[in-house]
Amino acid sequence: MEQNKRTSIEKLGEFGLISHLTQSVVTHQPTTVKGIGDDAAVIKNKEDNTVISTDMLVEGIHFDLAYHPLKHLGYKAVIVNLSDIYAMNAIPTQITVSIAISNRFSVEALEELYDGIRAACDAHQVDLIGGDTTSSLKGLIISITALGQGPSERLTYRNTAKPGDLLCVTGDLGGAYMGLQLLEREKQIFLENPDIKPDLEDQTYLVQRILKPEARKDIVNHFHQHEFMPTSMIDISDGLASEIFHLCDQSKTGAIVEEVNIPIAKETETMAFNFRIDPLVAALNGGEDYELLFTVKKEDHSFVMKMVDASIIGEIVEPEQGIHLHSKNGKIHKLQAQGWKHF
Ligand code: ADP
Ligand code: MG
């Protein structure tokens, strides 16, 4: 390394930083089927594969305890990890939970956190099998590792989409982002005037999207019940645009997305208009929706059409064609991926 050289993290961004730090990582074990680069890693056992994913949540970066109840936070911390296991078309089985805590937290507060963790484990039939507890000078850090199982022929990766495949998404998008905007606004109002009660009554849907998201176990179960295999899959943690870029980048393809087909809930649309935000921007770049983005062969069109909570939003194309959005007014735009900027 050159002496005195100092590159800011900001210059690389989150994904640039990860690939920079891991570019020379090689695998030594034949049992490592998939290392860095997908929603989860895959380890070959005698029969099934073990699928592993880990995520860290940091106070002040990923959550704000001013409006994130600890119980919901515990629930969400588990869910974001399970979502990565489901994105591999695998079934989560165990988690480990590591926390760094300052003396600001009481035992009762941490009990609440664990109530949420337990509720998510119960809902997804996952076992909490270990972890680590340490102190921090300031703030709460939660790191969870999730393990899952799946036979080789059933696992879905990010790098296996093919031109001609249909691009599909579950649920609706942008809700978590608008929920966050709402909570941020109410927090500011509260800080300026603590006598005003937050006005969140009618916003259960959006608030739930950000504070208590769900991982799409139902979708993966549906695939398994029908012995159906998407050609590729990724979960939407950073926003639709960013995940389409990951999928296309790894599959070496382009994509065309139809704006009219991007699912956006009425509640999201209304709140976006209130905030003078384009609902499309919330859906494309908002993030934290934890829906699944997947591709299927063209002949499986009717299978997706029959699914209760999935939409076909576009098509995978040749790499030379790039990644574009076909807008409602008929124009073609280059898709921009922003994702979350933590740095
Ligand atoms: P996701 O959004 O699905 O959680 P990430 O964007 O966090 O995925 O990570 C992409 C890939 O890079 C994953 O395979 C992940 O395990 C790997 N990765 C992320 N951070 C690191 C790190 N600090 N060292 C090694 N691998 C990492
Ligand atoms: Mg993921």
Side-chain angles (χ1 to χ4, degrees):
M1 202 164 68
E2 240 180 87
Q3 255 187 348
N4 298 329
K5 187 175 168 196
R6 191 188 187 282
T7 309
S8 72
I9 294 174
E10 199 180 0
K11 200 167 158 213
L12 295 179
E14 177 181 350
F15 304 123
L17 176 69
I18 296 173
S19 61
H20 180 74
L21 294 178
T22 59
Q23 60 194 352
S24 58
V25 170
V26 291
T27 54
H28 304 284
Q29 298 290 339
T31 47
T32 306
V33 177
K34 184 88 188 183
I36 292 163
D38 218 301
D39 290 298
V42 178
I43 297 173
K44 176 110 203 86
N45 303 326
K46 274 232 163 59
E47 290 181 356
D48 259 8
N49 298 281
T50 302
V51 177
I52 304 179
S53 183
T54 193
D55 261 301
M56 183 152 53
L57 297 182
V58 179
E59 183 178 353
I61 304 282
H62 301 97
F63 60 88
D64 185 335
L65 288 176
Y67 49 69
H68 220 140
L70 279 162
K71 187 171 174 184
H72 286 169
L73 183 65
Y75 193 90
K76 179 171 175 174
V78 176
I79 290 301
V80 305
N81 279 277
L82 301 188
S83 179
D84 279 321
I85 302 294
Y86 290 126
M88 302 301 290
N89 205 25
I91 298 297
T93 47
Q94 291 91 8
I95 58 164
T96 65
V97 175
S98 300
I99 52 175
I101 40 180
S102 72
N103 55 14
R104 193 177 111 229
F105 293 92
S106 66
V107 173
E108 289 73 19
L110 295 172
E111 279 170 0
E112 271 182 53
L113 180 76
Y114 268 73
D115 283 345
I117 291 174
R118 236 183 344 260
C121 285
D122 290 345
H124 290 263
Q125 296 289 293
V126 164
D127 300 331
L128 170 58
I129 56 161
D132 194 24
T133 304
T134 179
S135 51
S136 82
L137 288 179
K138 206 168 135 247
L140 172 66
I141 298 171
I142 310 168
S143 172
I144 298 189
T145 298
L147 293 98
Q149 291 282 316
S152 306
E153 61 282 5
R154 196 202 258 167
L155 299 181
T156 50
Y157 296 89
R158 295 177 177 183
N159 63 359
T160 42
K162 294 268 170 345
D165 286 355
L166 302 173
L167 190 61
C168 313
V169 70
T170 61
D172 58 78
L173 303 174
Y177 182 74
M178 288 323 303
L180 181 64
Q181 300 311 305
L182 182 66
L183 292 174
E184 283 286 350
R185 182 180 72 188
E186 295 305 318
K187 179 186 167 187
Q188 289 315 319
I189 293 173
F190 179 78
L191 289 177
E192 280 156 32
N193 188 347
D195 294 332
I196 300 177
K197 280 245 151 56
D199 177 23
L200 300 170
E201 280 290 284
D202 304 328
Q203 301 303 337
T204 346
Y205 182 69
L206 298 179
V207 171
Q208 185 208 316
R209 288 298 279 172
I210 184 72
L211 294 187
K212 195 171 177 284
E214 213 21 277
R216 300 310 303 257
K217 172 195 177 82
D218 57 334
I219 298 289
V220 169
N221 280 345
H222 181 81
F223 289 159
H224 295 177
Q225 272 157 19
H226 292 83
E227 290 179 19
F228 180 80
M229 271 282 292
T231 54
S232 72
M233 189 149 65
I234 183 170
D235 74 327
I236 304 184
S237 45
D238 294 321
L240 178 64
S242 173
E243 312 303 354
I244 291 175
F245 271 86
H246 286 316
L247 202 81
C248 288
D249 185 44
Q250 293 227 5
S251 296
K252 301 193 168 53
T253 65
I256 177 88
V257 182
E258 295 294 335
E259 181 189 347
V260 284
N261 295 335
I262 297 177
I264 298 176
K266 207 73 251 115
E267 292 90 336
T268 305
E269 214 164 63
T270 309
M271 192 55 65
F273 284 127
N274 276 341
F275 274 88
R276 295 178 206 289
I277 292 173
D278 184 347
L280 178 67
V281 172
L284 286 176
N285 298 322
E288 295 220 85
D289 290 312
Y290 299 102
E291 295 295 341
L292 293 169
L293 175 71
F294 60 99
T295 55
V296 303
K297 293 202 188 91
K298 224 176 209 145
E299 54 264 36
D300 290 320
H301 182 271
S302 66
F303 179 85
V304 182
M305 293 300 283
K306 273 188 245 148
M307 284 174 69
V308 279
D309 203 16
S311 321
I312 298 172
I313 59 164
E315 198 179 314
I316 297 296
V317 297
E318 296 294 339
E320 306 77 56
Q321 292 174 262
I323 304 174
H324 291 93
L325 179 79
H326 185 201
S327 74
K328 281 179 182 162
N329 60 21
K331 294 214 175 86
I332 302 278
H333 303 273
K334 247 194 156 66
L335 198 64
Q336 310 283 344
Q338 281 166 341
W340 281 119
K341 293 255 185 305
H342 297 311
F343 299 111

